[in-house]
Amino acid sequence: MRDTVKLSDFIRPHRKALAAAVIMGMLSAVLNVSVPAFISRISDVIGRDLFGNINLAEVRKFGLICLLLIAGGFLFADLQNRIMVEVSRKFTGELRKALDDKVDRLPLHYFDIHVNGDTLSILTNDVNTLNQALLNGTIAPILSGVTMIGCLVLMFVTNVTMAVGSVLATLAGMFVMAFALAKTNPYVKRQQEVLGELNGDVSESLNGFVVIKSFNAEKDVRESFCKKNEEMFRDNLRAQFTNGIMSPLMGFSGNLGYVTVCIIGAYLIYAGTPGVSIASVIAFILYVRQFSTPLAILAGSLAQLQPAFAASGRIFGFLNEEEMPEAEAGKAAFPEKTEGAVEFDHISFGYVPEVTVIHDFSAVIKPGSKVAIVGPTGAGKSTLINLLLGYYETGSGTIRIDGTDISEVPKEDLRNRIGYVPQDVWTFEGSIKDNIRYMNDSLSDEDIDRIIGLAGLEHFVSMLPEGADTVLDENCSISAGQKQLITIARAMAKNAPILVLDEATSNIDTRMEKLVQAAVDELIKGRTSFVIAHRLSTIRNADLILVMKDGDICEQGDHRELMEKKGFYYELYNSQFESED
Amino acid sequence: MKLLVKNIRGKEWFIFLLVMLSGLAQVVMDVTIPDFMARLTDILQSDRVVLGDVIREGSLMLLFAFLSLIIGLAGAYGVAVIAGLISMRIREQIFGKILDFSLAEVSDFGTASLITRCTNDVTQIQNVVVVVLIVAFKAPLSAVLAFGKIVGKNMIWTITMGVIMLFIMIVSLLVLRHIMPLMVRQQYETDDLTRFDGEHLRGIQVIQAFNSKRFHSARFQAANDRLNDTVKRSGYSFTFLSAFSNSMMNFFNLSVYITGAFIIMNSSPAEKTGLFSDLVTFSAYALIVMAAFVSLVQAYLSIAKAMASERRISEVLNAEVSIRDGAGNASGEETDSVLSFRNVSFSYPGASKTMLKDISFEAKKGETVAIIGATGSGKTTLLNLIPRLFDVSGGKILLNGKDIRDYTLFELRNRIGYIPQKSILFTGTIAENIDYGENGKLAAAIDDIRRAAGTGMADGFIREKEEGYSYRVSEGGRNFSGGQRQRLAISRAVCRDPEVYLFDDSFSALDFKTDREVRSKLRKEAKDAVMLIVAQRIGTIKNADRIIVLDKGSIAAQGRHAELMKSCGIYREIAATQLSEEEMKAYA
Ligand SMILES: Nc1ncnc2c1ncn2[C@@H]1O[C@H](COP(=O)(O)OP(=O)(O)OP(=O)(O)O)[C@@H](O)[C@H]1O
Ligand SMILES: Nc1ncnc2c1ncn2[C@@H]1O[C@H](COP(=O)(O)OP(=O)(O)OP(=O)(O)O)[C@@H](O)[C@H]1O
Ligand SMILES: [Mg+2]
Ligand SMILES: [Mg+2]
């Protein structure tokens, strides 16, 4: 089991800088606080010789000291700020990077049960909230904490009875505060969650915009959004209210402390307690007044930190999501040169444990053969590919490539050997060239042009004003078939020993398909390839056809054998040509 | 600002008033309570301490403090309500507006940017509303109250105060000028982050297969660094300003005393006492004035900071929607065609190339019109024009004789069942996905949903699920096979019982048998509906009443299968790739 990741893991590398910031903050606070003290010295100097000659030299001296103090106070405060913004920059950067990296280690199953927009919200909104708290909410409470402890010590040294009285009054305030914070905590948590849900709603709606529009679903979508939005309002109201009452609450608690101390002091003087002078009571009262300011700051910061904790809970909940099991490096390895022998050995699998999708699937594929997987929709063809690529763990059984169990080699090694055209096309924001070249930096522009030609994209690319450098993004959409061709070109560019084509040509017109098919056939010569297709013409020349039905192989053989058998494949094949009644 | 004022309505202005009053009351309290404190100290310092006096003054002060607490709580509540309401409404308005958009506007703004504007930008605004509500009333009042005590006391000091305040103001404005562009940038960089990460999430399967996470991490990292750098710079400017103002206040205090020393030195003995006591009061109250001033300046800065977000939100709210409702009442021409294209041409917004040229065809009640053509020939583009996802650039499209731009969008789309090329499903149950949207009729009963699923040949695999129609669909339909998704999308269109079906290559992921079965069921269920079928398989379209061969955006030929086999070269070529030789010969 991996160790859980904690907030402190991200703070720890910066602890020295944070300590420095706290020290700078304290120095600055001390210097700033002492300015009024020196000003009152100036005032004393003026007052002393009010009617005579004011000692200007002394005024100048104290003035100079004050100036130095002010400059020093500013300097230290500025240093503290510089350190803090730098720490926050690094901290946020590292946190986001960890989150982004985590995405790559999640099992695909995670995405079956989570909405993308919600995950996105963690990366933007939650990290922001946490960062704001770090920037504005860490140093202030520490400083006020230290000031408070200082005051407390002085108070207890001066008079224990009064100190106890004032602490009790403060504690009462703190208690109410803690109670309020605890009460609102679930709402603050929920608030971050709902924000994520809203983000998810917007993101999903935009991705399915065409459907929303053409189905007049705007009203429904809006209503569902508004419902969440209203919940957000209610949660937010409570959170914000708690935040807002901290300062009046602590103000009151400070005043309560003040009055308590005055009464105790008066009683002590009245009772003539030994060691209690009027002066000491007055001094004590000054401490109490100094005590209440940091208290209010502390309370304010705590309320600010609350959403940060909620955000942090979501962030680290995500970081601690279960990961795709990864074989340790070096446990097993593929042979240096991949032959491409693939063996499915009694594979069973279900996306959820209760529903088995693949039942006891076995097949042995000779190196370099073209394997076609055919079968009705939902038979489990793509699922088989998902297992081969290691997206999901097999329930039982093993898949071997060249005799090596794929679950024992690092996923990266496994996937390096497989060129894959998924059933769902995906291109990223970048030029057509980049989309094809992808991680193969060794390919020259000429190579890319050749691949563009092979994949039948030449004409299309030549029509674009910027050719292969045209950037694909939301403003430049291309047709579904064109996208599919790019995806095929991408797999061609990868030049891997094993090739997987999952309905790679489903959206391509048949004339183009024929061209591409010829190129693909050329490419897969000598490589093991898996081809899934409904248009059976594309697979007639396969060395091995696996006919799947409900997660089982019901027949296998080559085209001729299967046709002679007059079984399920025969039916499937002929259904292409049956005319309608 | 207008955005904020607009979103406080009716009775809520009373809450606003309450917040204001509570702010004012608190300032009064803030001034009064120290008086109580001083009086208590005085009593303690007097020669004979009377316990009763202390308790009386003390309880009076506590009473006041308690009152202040209550007022404070009320104020906090008001602030929470108003800030919450404003942000809720703004969020609702943005999302509502986005839903009014057409595809062109969505791609103009960009999906990622719209997402940030809807959440992140609103949060920025809300934070500012809170600050403003708390500071905006308190600070000026305490400034005025304090200023009242020192006004006219001493010209030189007043001028010093003015000069220093001016100085703070100038520095603040400089900081503001520095921050503003940073704030704008910060939000756009957040868009980038959302965009790259959204891409990462959506493409995870391919990214893993190509071991390309480094490529995407690098892009993400660059965006991340840019954003953090901007946040750092704006964050620093902000904290700099507060440290600076703090020092300036101390500096001001000092200068008052220093100048004070000289002034007193050079004044006549009679004035000296008065001047000295003025000095002390002036410095005390002037500091309050300045503190209030500084917090106002900072509040102003926060507002300015949020202006970037406000502008981004207003951009969305004020965006011109390109596709809008028609009048709905124009009368059409008499025709027996349900759907007619009349010399339609189209080019994508911002593109110079004409995508569709001179498209004309008719489809009568119950007819099937098939469209076939090469990849990228404009088939999807043509279908998109019918539900007005884009508007024609030239010519017109008639539905039941009436230009589609004369219908309201609601009415038009009610008549259409669209199955897009990419089957998109939404998170929710299967039933919700099939009974999707509105069609101007009653919500579908479970039987209707079942019937639609039956026609779309989805009923079979739905029944196999333990939860049946309440089975949860993941975002985009990820937990279904490609063919199942397509069948659900077909069932969703069937459930609308439309007059016109638009199938965009919607049988491509189905095996031939299922493909045929779905179509024959559809033909039975929806006898009168017009079906527009884009397909690549000859088998799928062979029996269509009319086949349109689209070539580079123009109609190369239209007619029945047999006619086209004879007359249309392109069609023959397509057919040759699919039909057996005997079949081809039959048409030779
Ligand atoms: N992520 C998932 N979670 C749960 N069930 C899934 C998931 N993906 C697929 N299934 C189910 O597993 C079964 C097999 O799906 P698979 O995608 O392998 O079918 P297929 O043979 O590729 O079909 P098609 O030709 O339609 O693509 C289907 O019943 C499908 O509903
Ligand atoms: N939003 C858009 N903006 C600009 N050009 C576009 C847009 N969408 C598509 N195109 C371009 O318009 C042309 C026609 O695209 P369309 O999607 O209509 O093709 P299609 O016939 O449906 O192709 P396919 O068979 O691959 O689905 C293509 O060259 C494509 O690149
Ligand atoms: Mg599949
Ligand atoms: Mg298309």
Side-chain angles (χ1 to χ4, degrees):
Chain A
M1 193 53 216
R2 276 169 342 102
D3 288 340
T4 50
V5 192
K6 296 182 299 293
L7 180 58
S8 54
D9 298 337
F10 285 84
I11 302 270
R12 199 172 306 118
H14 305 294
R15 62 182 188 280
K16 282 196 188 125
L18 282 173
V22 170
I23 293 173
M24 298 294 156
M26 279 189 206
L27 284 175
S28 151
V30 169
L31 294 187
N32 277 334
V33 166
S34 44
V35 171
F38 279 96
I39 289 182
S40 72
R41 296 280 273 281
I42 298 179
S43 164
D44 289 347
V45 172
I46 302 174
R48 200 176 54 218
D49 296 318
L50 195 56
F51 296 100
N53 261 346
I54 296 177
N55 187 345
L56 286 182
E58 221 174 332
V59 169
R60 234 175 261 132
K61 186 183 89 192
F62 286 128
L64 205 63
I65 293 178
C66 278
L67 267 185
L68 286 178
L69 288 177
I70 292 172
F74 174 72
L75 211 71
F76 285 122
D78 194 56
L79 275 176
Q80 181 221 306
N81 290 339
R82 282 172 196 268
I83 297 175
M84 277 319 284
V85 290
E86 187 55 31
V87 167
S88 120
R89 185 181 72 92
K90 288 203 183 124
F91 168 81
T92 320
E94 283 152 14
L95 197 57
R96 285 222 184 88
K97 179 163 166 30
L99 286 164
D100 187 60
D101 286 348
K102 176 76 184 187
V103 171
D104 292 306
R105 293 197 304 273
L106 288 169
L108 276 198
H109 180 67
Y110 176 88
F111 301 96
D112 289 344
I113 47 181
H114 288 89
V115 185
N116 283 348
D118 191 19
T119 314
L120 273 179
S121 181
I122 296 180
L123 243 123
T124 51
N125 296 323
D126 291 321
V127 172
N128 263 0
T129 308
L130 190 57
N131 185 36
Q132 281 307 318
L134 177 74
L135 205 51
N136 306 326
T138 32
I139 299 294
I142 294 178
L143 287 184
S144 0
V146 172
T147 322
M148 274 168 64
I149 291 173
C151 280
L152 267 182
V153 171
L154 286 177
M155 277 154 66
F156 271 95
V157 169
T158 316
N159 187 300
V160 178
T161 324
M162 284 196 282
V164 169
S166 127
V167 166
L168 280 181
T170 315
L171 276 183
M174 290 248 206
F175 182 76
V176 175
M177 188 175 90
F179 179 75
L181 284 177
K183 266 274 182 220
T184 39
N185 206 32
Y187 299 105
V188 177
K189 264 198 186 133
R190 188 74 197 120
Q191 174 188 319
Q192 293 301 114
E193 276 167 28
V194 180
L195 188 63
E197 285 171 21
L198 287 175
N199 222 49
D201 262 23
V202 183
S203 144
E204 200 179 354
S205 305
L206 287 167
N207 288 330
F209 203 66
V210 170
V211 178
I212 292 180
K213 287 265 127 178
S214 39
F215 281 75
N216 280 329
E218 291 99 331
K219 201 168 133 231
D220 294 349
V221 173
R222 184 178 300 157
E223 267 166 21
S224 123
F225 180 88
C226 286
K227 224 160 66 205
K228 290 185 189 135
N229 197 13
E230 272 157 30
E231 184 185 349
M232 174 91 183
F233 166 71
R234 286 192 299 273
D235 296 328
N236 182 260
L237 182 67
R238 290 184 167 98
Q240 188 62 54
F241 179 60
T242 316
N243 199 329
I245 62 174
M246 286 301 141
S247 155
L249 214 56
M250 285 338 272
F252 179 72
S253 147
N255 288 330
L256 186 64
Y258 189 87
V259 173
T260 316
V261 166
C262 284
I263 292 175
I264 296 177
Y267 176 76
L268 290 179
I269 295 171
Y270 172 77
T273 318
V276 178
S277 64
I278 294 182
S280 70
V281 172
I282 300 292
F284 195 94
I285 285 171
L286 283 178
Y287 296 141
V288 174
R289 283 179 85 163
Q290 273 178 18
F291 188 61
S292 56
T293 321
L295 197 63
I297 294 178
L298 191 66
S301 311
L302 278 182
Q304 245 196 20
L305 286 179
Q306 207 180 13
F309 278 120
S312 152
R314 274 167 58 79
I315 292 170
F316 288 91
F318 180 75
L319 285 179
N320 289 314
E321 281 283 345
E322 189 137 3
E323 297 186 355
M324 187 74 193
E326 177 68 286
E328 317 115 65
K331 183 172 177 197
F334 289 124
E336 195 59 36
K337 188 178 173 320
T338 313
E339 298 287 333
V342 181
E343 186 186 352
F344 293 92
D345 189 358
H346 296 283
I347 303 293
S348 297
F349 172 75
Y351 288 96
V352 281
E354 311 87 65
V355 188
T356 330
V357 177
I358 306 277
H359 315 268
D360 199 31
F361 179 95
S362 293
V364 179
I365 288 129
K366 287 206 267 310
S369 51
K370 175 179 177 182
V371 183
I373 307 175
V374 301
T377 71
K381 306 181 291 293
S382 304
T383 306
L384 212 55
I385 300 304
N386 283 341
L387 295 177
L388 179 63
L389 278 151
Y391 290 134
Y392 296 87
E393 294 285 286
T394 52
S396 68
T398 36
I399 302 176
R400 292 189 200 91
I401 294 182
D402 293 333
T404 311
D405 184 346
I406 61 164
S407 64
E408 288 181 354
V409 281
K411 296 270 181 307
E412 186 160 345
D413 284 355
L414 168 67
R415 290 168 186 162
N416 268 336
R417 269 147 223 265
I418 304 177
Y420 176 43
V421 182
Q423 190 167 16
D424 298 317
V425 293
W426 174 82
T427 53
F428 59 84
E429 189 186 312
S431 67
I432 295 182
K433 214 180 249 168
D434 288 346
N435 262 287
I436 294 173
R437 179 179 286 138
Y438 217 21
M439 291 296 279
N440 299 294
D441 295 329
S442 60
L443 292 180
S444 65
D445 279 3
E446 289 75 53
D447 293 330
I448 301 290
D449 286 341
R450 190 176 49 82
I451 292 169
I452 286 179
L454 282 178
L457 281 162
E458 207 160 28
H459 175 72
F460 163 60
V461 167
S462 70
M463 298 297 284
L464 297 169
E466 285 164 70
D469 290 315
T470 308
V471 174
L472 304 178
D473 59 19
E474 282 175 88
N475 286 312
C476 178
S477 10
I478 55 176
S479 89
Q482 288 159 347
K483 243 188 199 165
Q484 227 166 22
L485 290 174
I486 290 178
T487 325
I488 294 173
R490 183 164 64 199
M492 285 178 164
K494 185 166 175 185
N495 200 14
I498 298 173
L499 211 66
V500 175
L501 303 164
D502 191 352
E503 298 271 6
T505 53
S506 59
N507 283 312
I508 300 172
D509 75 84
T510 47
R511 280 184 305 166
M512 178 69 83
E513 185 184 25
K514 219 166 184 178
L515 285 177
V516 176
Q517 197 61 49
V520 169
D521 280 344
E522 191 55 41
L523 180 76
I524 62 180
K525 254 193 203 132
R527 307 174 202 232
T528 310
S529 60
F530 293 85
V531 179
I532 299 177
H534 286 303
R535 285 188 217 148
L536 299 184
S537 55
T538 50
I539 54 150
R540 218 156 23 179
N541 64 353
D543 300 309
L544 175 68
I545 298 173
L546 303 174
V547 186
M548 289 191 73
K549 197 181 170 191
D550 303 329
D552 287 314
I553 298 195
C554 62
E555 288 167 20
Q556 52 180 308
D558 64 19
H559 178 68
R560 204 176 40 80
E561 289 164 15
L562 292 174
M563 288 304 281
E564 277 166 12
K565 211 171 178 180
K566 293 210 173 358
F568 189 62
Y569 179 79
Y570 176 83
E571 249 176 65
L572 214 58
Y573 190 80
N574 280 327
S575 70
Q576 293 185 78
F577 305 110
E578 276 163 36
S579 55
E580 270 148 75
D581 29 19
Chain B
M1 260 329 205
K2 234 170 71 194
L3 195 62
L4 306 185
V5 175
K6 243 183 14 210
N7 280 299
I8 304 178
R9 297 171 194 159
K11 272 187 278 186
E12 286 144 30
W13 282 107
F14 287 109
I15 302 179
F16 186 78
L17 206 68
L18 174 92
V19 172
M20 214 162 81
L21 288 177
S22 124
L24 302 187
Q26 267 179 314
V27 174
V28 174
M29 301 286 177
D30 287 350
V31 179
T32 327
I33 286 186
D35 288 349
F36 277 107
M37 288 182 167
R39 230 172 298 154
L40 271 171
T41 325
D42 283 348
I43 296 176
L44 284 178
Q45 270 172 320
S46 63
D47 300 334
R48 279 186 47 81
V49 179
V50 182
L51 203 52
D53 286 355
V54 176
I55 291 178
R56 198 191 61 238
E57 279 299 317
S59 346
L60 218 59
M61 170 170 156
L62 271 189
L63 192 73
F64 238 78
F66 189 70
L67 211 64
S68 165
L69 173 67
I70 298 295
I71 292 170
L73 295 188
Y77 184 76
V79 169
V81 170
I82 290 190
L85 275 179
I86 288 181
S87 55
M88 174 177 78
R89 284 184 186 145
I90 294 179
R91 227 180 279 119
E92 190 182 313
Q93 282 160 20
I94 304 174
F95 189 65
K97 180 71 181 199
I98 292 176
L99 287 176
D100 286 341
F101 276 178
S102 59
L103 284 178
E105 284 90 49
V106 171
S107 62
D108 270 356
F109 279 103
T111 310
S113 188
L114 288 175
I115 297 174
T116 343
R117 286 173 208 231
C118 219
T119 51
N120 193 298
D121 279 305
V122 180
T123 311
Q124 304 278 351
I125 297 234
Q126 168 165 12
N127 290 341
V128 168
V129 172
V130 172
V131 173
V132 170
L133 285 178
I134 293 177
V135 174
F137 306 118
K138 280 194 197 171
L141 184 73
S142 67
V144 166
L145 282 184
F147 194 69
K149 307 234 180 189
I150 54 174
V151 66
K153 278 246 156 76
N154 185 305
M155 266 322 269
I156 293 179
W157 295 329
T158 314
I159 289 173
T160 316
M161 182 167 87
V163 168
I164 288 184
M165 272 162 58
L166 195 70
F167 187 50
I168 294 181
M169 188 116 107
I170 290 172
V171 172
S172 306
L173 285 178
L174 287 180
V175 169
L176 183 68
R177 257 192 39 196
H178 177 65
I179 284 184
M180 279 302 275
L182 288 179
M183 289 316 293
V184 176
R185 223 162 75 199
Q186 180 178 321
Q187 293 313 104
Y188 282 97
E189 284 167 354
T190 306
D191 291 352
D192 285 348
L193 207 68
T194 310
R195 207 169 68 240
F196 287 133
D197 222 63
E199 181 177 276
H200 189 173
L201 290 172
R202 272 194 306 277
I204 190 69
Q205 199 163 348
V206 177
I207 291 171
Q208 292 192 350
F210 281 76
N211 288 324
S212 56
K213 60 169 180 261
R214 255 159 312 178
F215 177 86
H216 294 275
S217 292
R219 281 154 69 108
F220 175 81
Q221 203 48 45
N224 191 8
D225 287 345
R226 277 199 302 273
L227 172 63
N228 289 330
D229 206 54
T230 313
V231 172
K232 176 189 145 181
R233 281 166 55 193
S234 69
Y236 171 69
S237 310
F238 224 67
T239 44
F240 163 83
L241 198 64
S242 88
F244 172 77
S245 318
N246 216 347
S247 303
M248 281 323 280
M249 275 161 65
N250 271 334
F251 179 71
F252 163 72
N253 202 0
L254 177 66
S255 16
V256 168
Y257 275 94
I258 302 269
T259 46
F262 285 93
I263 294 173
I264 292 174
M265 262 290 276
N266 299 326
S267 55
S268 64
E271 293 169 335
K272 282 190 176 178
T273 332
L275 269 175
F276 185 56
S277 83
D278 277 358
L279 173 64
V280 177
T281 11
F282 191 93
S283 113
Y285 283 104
L287 276 182
I288 297 179
V289 176
M290 282 190 89
F293 172 72
V294 165
S295 61
L296 268 183
V297 167
Q298 279 180 353
Y300 178 68
L301 231 63
S302 321
I303 297 178
K305 235 171 79 168
M307 287 301 270
S309 292
E310 201 239 29
R311 195 165 335 133
R312 278 160 55 91
I313 290 171
S314 300
E315 267 169 23
V316 174
L317 295 183
N318 299 332
E320 190 77 29
V321 178
S322 56
I323 294 179
R324 276 184 263 149
D325 278 339
N329 51 11
S331 60
E333 54 187 81
E334 220 30 70
T335 167
D336 59 348
S337 290
V338 176
L339 185 71
S340 355
F341 271 59
R342 304 265 167 90
N343 307 97
V344 169
S345 65
F346 173 75
S347 40
Y348 278 103
S352 51
K353 217 175 68 185
T354 316
M355 198 52 248
L356 293 175
K357 286 175 287 271
D358 201 25
I359 306 284
S360 299
F361 66 87
E362 308 277 324
K364 297 195 171 60
K365 200 166 156 183
E367 275 188 344
T368 301
V369 176
I371 302 173
I372 194 165
T375 294
S377 57
K379 305 180 293 292
T380 302
T381 309
L382 189 153
L383 289 197
N384 280 343
L385 296 178
I386 300 170
R388 290 188 70 200
L389 297 176
F390 292 97
D391 265 346
V392 297
S393 315
K396 57 184 173 181
I397 302 172
L398 306 182
L399 183 67
N400 294 321
K402 192 159 106 177
D403 193 317
I404 53 170
R405 284 166 294 185
D406 288 335
Y407 286 91
T408 62
L409 289 170
F410 185 72
E411 220 185 307
L412 171 70
R413 290 171 181 163
N414 272 341
R415 295 160 192 260
I416 296 171
Y418 189 18
I419 302 99
Q421 195 159 15
K422 184 168 183 244
S423 323
I424 302 161
L425 303 176
F426 296 92
T427 35
T429 63
I430 291 185
E432 281 162 6
N433 266 286
I434 294 180
D435 175 27
Y436 190 72
E438 282 184 77
N439 64 348
K441 295 162 201 154
L442 288 176
I446 184 69
D447 283 339
D448 301 322
I449 295 175
R450 279 225 176 83
R451 191 160 347 108
T455 312
M457 296 284 288
D459 192 55
F461 70 83
I462 297 172
R463 276 173 194 277
E464 276 171 26
K465 311 267 175 208
E466 203 178 314
E467 301 91 334
Y469 283 81
S470 355
Y471 183 76
R472 286 212 71 79
V473 179
S474 303
E475 183 175 7
R478 279 188 290 231
N479 55 347
F480 285 94
S481 86
Q484 290 170 340
R485 238 175 301 170
Q486 225 162 38
R487 282 182 277 169
L488 287 172
I490 294 172
S491 310
R492 176 172 65 192
V494 171
C495 196
R496 288 170 78 68
D497 190 20
E499 287 173 40
V500 178
Y501 278 95
L502 308 175
F503 294 96
D504 191 357
D505 217 357
S506 315
F507 308 106
S508 62
L510 304 183
D511 53 279
F512 285 78
K513 196 157 155 258
T514 315
D515 173 358
R516 202 170 40 243
E517 279 169 359
V518 170
R519 275 181 297 111
S520 74
K521 281 200 171 175
L522 267 169
R523 224 20 324 167
K524 275 194 213 102
E525 284 285 317
K527 279 194 208 61
D528 293 338
V530 165
M531 295 194 189
L532 223 58
I533 300 181
V534 169
Q536 307 289 1
R537 299 175 186 166
I538 293 283
T540 310
I541 61 173
K542 214 159 76 177
N543 294 338
D545 299 294
R546 177 172 298 106
I547 299 171
I548 295 173
V549 183
L550 210 56
D551 183 40
K552 302 198 190 77
S554 313
I555 296 185
Q558 53 180 311
R560 286 179 164 274
H561 175 69
E563 296 161 26
L564 290 175
M565 283 301 279
K566 292 213 174 65
S567 61
C568 179
I570 299 176
Y571 189 77
R572 271 187 70 83
E573 269 179 50
I574 296 173
T577 59
Q578 299 181 37
L579 301 179
S580 59
E581 274 169 35
E582 305 90 76
E583 278 176 291
M584 287 302 291
K585 275 202 198 98
Y587 294 103

